[in-house]
Amino acid sequence: MIDTHIHIVPGVDDGAKSLNEAVEMLNLAKNQGVEEMIVTPHFKEGLSLDSDILEQFEKIRHEALALGMTLHLGNELYLCEEGVHALRDDHVYTMANSSYVLVELPFAHFYPFHEALLHQIQLRGFKIILAHIERYQIFRRKPAVMESMLERGIYCQMNSRYVEERKTKKQAMKWIEKGYVHVIASDAHNTDTRKPQLIGAFKAVEQNLGTEAAELLFNENPRKIIDDQPMEALVIDKKKGFFNRFRKNVQ
């Protein structure tokens, strides 16, 4: 599998605090079946292109290579005017040096101003992936808002924990069935409370929606990010007691 959202670069954000912890996270991910990652430290204005970021990334990348794993660098960009300006000025790492950028929305509110910022990012040729879509109140209250973003060519990432936890699994499957989700990632931060875990979510999707859905969300679409190709949504129709699967390209 390919993990496309993880905070494992040591000492640069609220993720791994040390190289030792980062290596422990690598081993946990490896044991889960992860062979490749796009590491996504939170963007901080003025820091993301600092030489220390690259130095720390190279350290963990070297450790990953020793485990037979491949790492790519990216950022998780909080949606604000300063962040959009930094992206415009090439101060933000896109995902694996592609045109994809991982964007975090405000959790509690979403205004026309934020829609305008997303539009600015798209106008500059970037493909937006919204991080952990299950965490935003606006999408839970008004799914039509998310649907309108999908129609505009915005992609969505869901966290693996939301997929495998009993109290949220049903809602996660509903969103996947409707084609709201393009990729599932760990959003791991440590080895304890938010550790790398993908295999449970993979199995949950496979058991509920089939192997094709699981492969698309954990392998095929993540590979398309790295290759800078358009991702696909897998919409599942349960009519007549079986699944009719078809892929809908998102332009």
Side-chain angles (χ1 to χ4, degrees):
M1 293 179 288
I2 304 173
D3 197 347
T4 56
H5 182 179
I6 184 168
H7 299 267
I8 198 172
V9 181
V12 300
D13 64 0
D14 60 344
K17 300 305 180 187
S18 66
L19 182 60
N20 285 341
E21 184 178 23
V23 171
E24 288 183 42
M25 291 174 69
L26 281 177
N27 278 287
L28 288 171
K30 177 73 173 179
N31 291 336
Q32 292 266 314
V34 175
E35 297 179 345
E36 199 162 355
M37 293 177 176
I38 304 175
V39 301
T40 51
H42 291 286
F43 172 78
K44 297 179 182 178
E45 179 66 28
L47 294 179
S48 284
L49 291 185
D50 190 278
S51 60
D52 186 56
I53 298 289
L54 290 176
E55 181 181 349
Q56 295 303 317
F57 170 70
E58 285 301 320
K59 288 179 180 179
I60 191 61
R61 188 179 72 85
H62 179 76
E63 297 288 345
L65 285 173
L67 295 172
M69 303 172 70
T70 302
L71 265 56
H72 310 273
L73 185 56
N75 269 144
E76 182 179 6
L77 176 68
Y78 184 77
L79 185 65
C80 62
E81 192 169 7
E82 293 79 10
V84 173
H85 289 166
L87 180 64
R88 177 199 63 193
D89 296 336
D90 295 326
H91 291 166
V92 177
Y93 292 112
T94 60
M95 302 183 75
N97 200 34
S98 70
S99 58
Y100 283 98
V101 58
L102 185 66
V103 175
E104 180 179 45
L105 301 180
F107 292 152
H109 56 267
F110 186 77
Y111 301 126
F113 170 71
H114 297 111
E115 288 199 60
L117 291 178
L118 291 172
H119 187 56
Q120 288 181 34
I121 293 174
Q122 288 184 297
L123 285 177
R124 295 188 177 278
F126 294 102
K127 295 191 283 287
I128 296 169
I129 302 175
L130 297 180
H132 40 61
I133 58 168
E134 71 278 2
R135 299 179 67 180
Y136 306 124
Q137 292 184 21
I138 184 66
F139 292 163
R140 295 197 298 268
R141 295 197 313 264
K142 299 179 179 179
V145 175
M146 181 161 55
E147 291 173 358
S148 70
M149 291 190 182
L150 294 171
E151 291 172 359
R152 288 169 43 194
I154 290 176
Y155 299 91
C156 295
Q157 176 257 317
M158 179 176 281
N159 282 0
S160 57
R161 179 180 296 182
Y162 193 76
V163 177
E164 60 179 318
E165 287 190 351
R166 181 183 302 177
K167 63 181 180 180
T168 55
K169 180 189 295 184
K170 185 176 180 179
Q171 181 63 44
M173 295 304 164
K174 284 183 178 179
W175 280 12
I176 294 170
E177 288 172 15
K178 291 182 178 181
Y180 292 174
V181 183
H182 299 91
V183 61
I184 295 173
S186 72
D187 191 13
H189 281 62
N190 52 51
T191 59
D192 183 18
T193 57
R194 299 179 68 178
K195 60 186 178 182
Q197 50 185 47
L198 283 183
I199 191 63
F202 182 97
K203 290 180 178 179
V205 173
E206 186 175 42
Q207 290 169 2
N208 285 270
L209 304 176
T211 300
E212 183 181 3
E215 287 293 331
L216 183 72
L217 297 174
F218 291 86
N219 285 307
E220 295 175 25
N221 274 345
R223 176 60 58 195
K224 289 179 182 292
I225 296 173
I226 294 168
D227 293 342
D228 208 9
Q229 298 297 317
M231 288 192 284
E232 296 173 312
L234 186 60
V235 183
I236 300 174
D237 185 359
K238 290 186 177 178
K239 290 180 180 179
K240 300 181 180 179
F242 60 89
F243 294 144
N244 290 320
R245 298 179 177 86
F246 62 96
R247 290 177 180 177
K248 180 175 65 177
N249 287 320
V250 181
Q251 302 298 332

